[in-house]
Amino acid sequence: ELMTFFDENVIYRDFNFENVLRGPAEVRKFVEDFTFPGIEFRPTRFDDGDVSTCFTWEVVIADAPDTIKGVSFYELDPDTSKIVYVRDVPESAIKPPILGTWARNLRPGLGVFQAVPIGSRPGGM
């Protein structure tokens, strides 16, 4: 039943995987591969758009003390309201992320984020 929400030309991208999934058959296999006893997907916050939305989530695996958090973007076909694009961006499952720790040790300023002036980036607001 889940696959009835996906368009025939759906594109599904997950930051954990190099290959792009194309079409319902590839998406179905991906979903089935990550459906097993002890895994729970919990949406946490939602944005509501007309033809696209973004939401945060966490994955709980069995009795593991930590969760894996992430964000997903979904885009709909405006005519059919079926899902045409998905982008999943999970955080690192390694706590704390090894590369982030190394980067902050080498260049401490990398872990500091600051606002940028509106209009300062090409194509930005």
Side-chain angles (χ1 to χ4, degrees):
E1 183 181 340
L2 170 68
M3 298 315 297
T4 62
F5 294 104
F6 289 91
D7 187 86
E8 287 298 315
N9 297 310
V10 64
I11 295 173
Y12 192 113
R13 300 179 66 102
D14 187 303
F15 264 20
N16 282 332
F17 302 94
E18 187 173 329
N19 295 334
V20 176
L21 305 174
R22 297 180 187 279
E26 289 185 12
V27 172
R28 176 188 304 276
K29 172 131 178 45
F30 178 79
V31 170
E32 288 172 353
D33 286 348
F34 286 93
T35 303
F36 52 87
I39 188 168
E40 183 182 353
F41 178 85
R42 295 180 185 161
T44 55
R45 294 180 67 190
F46 292 90
D47 172 51
D48 56 348
D50 292 330
V51 294
S52 62
T53 189
C54 197
F55 61 95
T56 58
W57 44 264
E58 64 182 2
V59 173
V60 179
I61 300 177
D63 295 328
D66 293 322
T67 62
I68 298 169
K69 297 178 181 174
V71 62
S72 292
F73 172 81
Y74 279 60
E75 182 180 359
L76 304 178
D77 179 299
D79 297 323
T80 65
S81 297
K82 290 195 172 203
I83 300 166
V84 293
Y85 184 80
V86 178
R87 168 63 96 175
D88 286 336
V89 185
E91 70 178 358
S92 174
I94 300 170
K95 306 290 194 277
I98 292 171
L99 292 178
T101 301
W102 289 344
R104 280 188 293 284
N105 288 338
L106 291 172
R107 296 193 52 205
L110 287 177
V112 178
F113 295 96
Q114 298 174 341
V116 296
I118 293 177
S120 65
R121 290 185 271 191
M125 297 177 11

